Amino acid sequence: MNWMLVAAGGALGSLARYGLARLWPAVPGEWPLATMSANLLGSFTIGAVAVWVAARGAGHEEALRLFFMTGVLGGFTTYSAFALETVTLAGEGAWLRAIGYTLATVIACAVLAQAGRLVGAFLTEI
């Protein structure tokens, strides 16, 4: 049963990420907006969902975590595309863009994950 939760969630997350890639196609030499958007939104969301899932209680925690965090958000966010796009920018000679993209993504994702946790904690209190 657990694998079905992960698979269903992963399919939804992957389709959402595909939609972003169609909305913002990659432009050579520019920041990959679709991947960055997916990772930023996913970081915020996983922070909020982690707190929300923990507040639901032990009865449903594992199923919610597997579906939303491992499945949906695992399919939506993408470290491998981020890494490939970073080295592609560098390989195209856009070293400063690659460094900026890396720093902006890593720092913003961490900040947004914490912001998500704060929002999740607030929402569980109301």
Side-chain angles (χ1 to χ4, degrees):
M1 177 63 170
N2 288 346
W3 67 270
M4 290 173 54
L5 293 169
V6 174
L12 292 174
S14 295
L15 285 171
R17 187 165 69 82
Y18 174 72
L20 279 179
R22 296 290 306 236
L23 182 65
W24 286 317
V27 176
E30 298 295 326
W31 281 16
L33 294 178
T35 300
M36 188 171 192
S37 297
N39 288 335
L40 295 173
L41 183 58
S43 294
F44 175 83
T45 305
I46 203 165
V49 169
V51 172
W52 179 76
V53 166
R56 295 292 138 232
H60 302 304
E61 185 174 354
E62 182 179 4
L64 291 170
R65 185 179 314 281
L66 289 172
F67 179 76
F68 286 113
M69 295 172 71
T70 304
V72 174
L73 294 171
F76 184 65
T77 59
T78 174
Y79 184 81
S80 57
F82 161 68
L84 177 62
E85 290 163 347
T86 300
V87 298
T88 299
L89 282 170
E92 293 170 348
W95 280 96
L96 289 178
R97 256 193 204 116
I99 291 167
Y101 176 60
T102 300
L103 291 174
T105 298
V106 171
I107 292 168
C109 283
V111 168
L112 286 170
Q114 179 60 18
R117 289 175 47 86
L118 294 172
V119 168
F122 174 76
L123 292 176
T124 59
E125 295 297 320
I126 54 175

